[in-house]
């Protein structure tokens, strides 16, 4: 029966390469092979019967499906149903080469089933029908089986010579293509020779079969050969030898049983170890699955934490940017507030200056004109008042220029151009503008700035700086004093030096503050300290500096730089 199952496999593989093969039959054969290896015989039956539900099966497909069902029934020992399905597969024979191969395999399978059921005549009939279908090396085992079936049938029917012919054909094929099957063939052949009274020749065949069984390690064949030899000895009256052989056969049978038991134990041990390994593998797989779940959970936690940290970083960054923007906004508001307060203070000072410094010269001029209109003879008094009013108007004019320039600066009208000026020349021009004030107090200005000395500021702005510093020096200088305009070669600072009233040290830090009131000049000149504040603003806008050195009653030095 095992040989028949092998025949079924070979038949399927042949059909897979046949010209009448269809994709669904190819898929059926592939699954049949797979289920046979896995021992899933119910799946074979279910798959094949489902295939039969198709109404468009061609004859070759039906032949193949019924053959597979027949193999299934034979495998589960349902021989009647197996015979029925195999015979039904023969009814769909088409005459083509693949169909002929399928037919021969079905006939071979029927012969094997009938032989297993000891229905030797039916087995002989089907074997005879496929006798020519298994020639060549590829079908050597089937060829040997077919001729052995026929030889045994002839043996049972006492046709010994015909039986020998079949055994000779089987032996010849086995010797050339399947050497380990020779022992099985020649021990059966020996029984025929014994029937033909060829005892010694039969014994030689038995001895040869024993040697071949040992060389091929097929102990079943060896045991069968010894049993056959004992039958021959009894048949030929060699009872004493037969009795001796009986005990040898018993020992060998016992050994064979023991070997089989050991094989079974080994097999069970192998199965146990395999199951242990499978259980261990399953446990390891469960552990791996659990670890993988834990790893995935850890990954999720790590990803969540990472995402949370990222969001926190983004939030902190947003808060930082918002805070920075808020600080910038607060700084801007603070700067704007300071500027607004400064402008308000400037506005108040401007109106105060206008109401005070401009009111006095205007009133003096009005009184003088009225006096002149009423009494034209008082020329001496008129000249005196005219000189006083002239000084007042000159001072008011300087204040007005400062106010206008400062207003322009606050309104960002004065441009800060990248230009240079000749300091000596600008200083000379500024001294010339202030000549009336200098002459009034008989003050001399000494310009000791080196010629061609350049500074990075426009001439107009430089003139404003020098005019205010010189005006301040004139205001607080005594009559007939000197004022020096020069350059410190070591510190590269320009300076305006006077030798007038000077400033107390405790007042130096408050000199540039808006709250610091202006002092009265040596000739009763008034003012509100706008000039120094304006100079400070210009220098600040042009990356410059202003510092003061002063001693009370000895004079002051104003140093400035432009970077």
């Amino acid at each position: 029966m095992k040989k028949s199952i092998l025949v079924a496999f070979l038949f399927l593989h042949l059909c897979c390469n046949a010209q009448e093969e269809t994709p669904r039959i190819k898929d059926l054969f592939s699954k049949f092979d797979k289920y046979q290896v896995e021992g899933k015989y119910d799946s074979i039956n279910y798959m094949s019967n489902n295939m039969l539900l198709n109404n468009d099966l061609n004859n070759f497909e039906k032949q193949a499906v019924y053959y597979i069902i027949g193999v299934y029934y034979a495998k589960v020992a349902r021989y009647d149903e197996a015979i029925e399905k195999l015979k039904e597969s023969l009814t769909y024979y088409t005459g083509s080469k693949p169909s002929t191969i399928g037919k021969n395999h079905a006939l071979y399978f029927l012969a094997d089933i009938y032989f297993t059921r000891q229905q030797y005549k039916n087995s002989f009939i089907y074997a005879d029908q496929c006798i020519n279908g298994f020639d060549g090396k590829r079908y050597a085992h089937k060829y040997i089986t077919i001729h052995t079936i026929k030889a045994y049938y002839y043996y049972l029917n006492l046709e010994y010579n015909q039986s020998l012919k079949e055994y000779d054909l089987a032996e010849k094929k086995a010797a050339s293509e399947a050497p380990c099957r020779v022992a099985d063939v020649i021990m059966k052949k020996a029984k025929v020779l014994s029937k033909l009274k060829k005892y010694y020749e039969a014994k030689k065949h038995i001895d040869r079969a024993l040697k071949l069984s040992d060389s091929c390690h097929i102990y079943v064949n060896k045991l069968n050969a010894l049993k056959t030899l004992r039958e021959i000895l009894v048949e030929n009256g060699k009872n004493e030898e037969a009795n001796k052989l009986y005990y040898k056969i018993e020992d060998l049978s016992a050994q064979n049983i023991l070997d089989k038991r050991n094989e079974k134990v080994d097999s069970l041990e192998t199965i146990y170890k395999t199951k242990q390994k499978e259980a261990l593998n399953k446990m390891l797989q469960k552990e791996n699955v659990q670890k993988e779940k834990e790893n995935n959970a850890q990954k999720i936690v790590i990803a969540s934490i990472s995402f949370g940290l990222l969001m926190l970083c983004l939030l902190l960054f947003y808060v930082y940017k918002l805070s920075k923007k808020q600080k910038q906004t607060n700084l801007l508001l603070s700067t704007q507030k300071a500027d607004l307060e400064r402008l308000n203070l400037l506005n108040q000072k401007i109106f105060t200056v206008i109401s005070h410094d401009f009111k006095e010269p205007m009133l003096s001029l009005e009184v003088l004109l009225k006096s002149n209109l009423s009494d034209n003879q008082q020329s001496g008094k008129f000249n005196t008042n005219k000189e006083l009013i002239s000084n007042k108007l000159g001072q008011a004019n300087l204040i007005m220029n400062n106010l206008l320039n400062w207003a322009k600066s606050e309104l960002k009208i004065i441009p800060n151009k990248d230009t240079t000026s000749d300091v000596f020349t600008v200083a000379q021009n500024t001294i010339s503008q202030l000549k009336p004030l200098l002459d009034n107090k008989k003050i001399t200005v000494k310009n000791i700035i080196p010629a061609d000395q350049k500074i990075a500021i426009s001439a107009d702005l430089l003139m404003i700086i020098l005019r205010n510093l010189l005006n301040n020096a004139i205001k607080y200088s005594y009559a007939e004093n000197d004022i020096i305009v020069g350059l410190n070669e070591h510190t590269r600072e320009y300076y305006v030096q006077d030798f007038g009233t000077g400033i107390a040290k405790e007042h130096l830090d408050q000199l540039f503050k808006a709250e610091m009131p202006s002092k009265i000049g040596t000739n009763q000149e008034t003012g509100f300290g706008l000039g120094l504040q304006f100079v400070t603003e210009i220098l600040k806008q042009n990356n410059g500096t202003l510092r003061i050195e002063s001693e009370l009653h000895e004079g002051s030095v104003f140093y400035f730089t432009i970077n």
Side-chain angles (χ1 to χ4, degrees), residues 291-427:
K291 286 182 179 179
E292 188 174 353
K293 287 181 179 179
E294 291 176 359
N295 290 335
N296 289 335
Q298 288 178 354
K299 287 179 181 178
I300 292 172
V301 171
I302 291 171
S304 301
I305 292 173
S306 300
F307 180 75
L309 290 174
L310 178 62
M311 295 304 294
L312 180 61
C313 290
L314 290 174
L315 180 61
L316 290 175
F317 179 74
Y318 175 75
V319 170
Y320 167 74
K321 294 292 287 184
L322 192 63
S323 175
K324 187 176 179 180
K325 187 175 180 181
Q326 186 65 38
K327 285 181 180 179
Q328 291 175 346
T329 303
N330 291 340
L331 181 61
L332 179 61
L333 290 174
S334 177
T335 304
Q336 290 176 344
K337 181 181 178 183
D339 289 343
L340 184 61
E341 290 175 351
R342 186 168 51 82
L343 289 174
N344 287 334
L345 182 60
L346 173 64
N347 183 56
Q348 293 173 6
K349 283 199 171 189
I350 288 173
F351 280 104
T352 303
V353 169
I354 291 173
S355 64
H356 183 276
D357 285 31
F358 283 91
K359 182 179 180 181
E360 183 180 353
M362 292 300 116
L363 288 174
S364 299
L365 182 59
E366 182 182 3
V367 171
L368 178 63
L369 291 175
K370 286 182 179 180
S371 175
N372 189 41
L373 288 173
S374 62
D375 191 4
N376 290 326
Q377 302 300 320
Q378 299 179 356
S379 59
K381 187 178 181 181
F382 175 80
N383 290 333
T384 302
N385 289 333
K386 183 176 71 172
E387 184 179 349
L388 179 61
I389 292 170
S390 177
N391 290 334
K392 294 281 186 179
L393 288 175
Q395 194 172 14
N397 181 58
L398 181 60
I399 293 170
M400 179 62 75
N401 286 333
N402 283 338
L403 289 174
L404 291 174
N405 288 327
W406 199 347
K408 288 180 182 180
S409 175
E410 294 296 334
L411 295 172
K412 307 301 179 186
I413 296 175
I414 297 177
N416 183 16
K417 296 182 179 179
D418 186 17
T419 58
T420 59
S421 304
D422 187 311
V423 185
F424 178 83
T425 303
V426 173

Side-chain angles (χ1 to χ4, degrees), residues 94-220:
T94 63
S96 66
K97 184 176 179 180
S99 183
T100 300
I101 294 172
K103 173 188 173 184
N104 288 332
H105 280 81
L107 291 170
Y108 174 86
F109 209 43
L110 284 167
D112 190 66
I113 292 173
Y114 279 121
F115 192 85
T116 302
R117 299 184 71 178
Q118 297 181 353
Q119 296 177 1
Y120 299 115
K121 184 176 181 179
N122 288 335
S123 177
F124 175 84
I125 291 169
Y126 285 108
D128 190 57
Q129 289 182 46
C130 64
I131 192 71
N132 297 319
F134 299 106
D135 197 9
K137 184 176 181 179
R138 184 175 185 181
Y139 303 111
H141 288 282
K142 297 175 218 31
Y143 181 91
I144 295 167
T145 302
I146 291 297
H147 283 283
T148 301
I149 289 172
K150 290 187 68 178
Y152 191 74
Y153 177 76
Y154 285 131
Y155 171 79
L156 292 176
N157 286 279
L158 308 179
E159 298 179 38
Y160 300 125
N161 290 324
Q162 192 65 32
S163 179
L164 281 177
K165 288 180 182 179
E166 295 295 335
Y167 280 129
D168 285 340
L169 290 171
E171 181 185 358
K172 184 178 179 181
K173 176 63 72 173
S176 61
E177 307 294 347
C180 286
R181 288 201 64 180
V182 173
D184 181 56
V185 174
I186 62 177
M187 77 174 67
K188 293 174 181 176
K189 183 179 176 183
K191 292 174 70 173
V192 179
L193 290 170
S194 178
K195 293 294 183 183
L196 293 172
K197 306 302 181 181
K198 296 181 180 181
Y199 168 72
Y200 291 104
E201 190 175 350
K203 193 171 182 300
K204 286 180 180 179
H205 277 72
I206 293 298
D207 290 339
R208 186 171 161 225
L210 290 171
K211 290 179 181 178
L212 288 169
S213 297
D214 287 336
S215 64
C216 291
H217 304 288
I218 304 176
Y219 298 108
V220 175

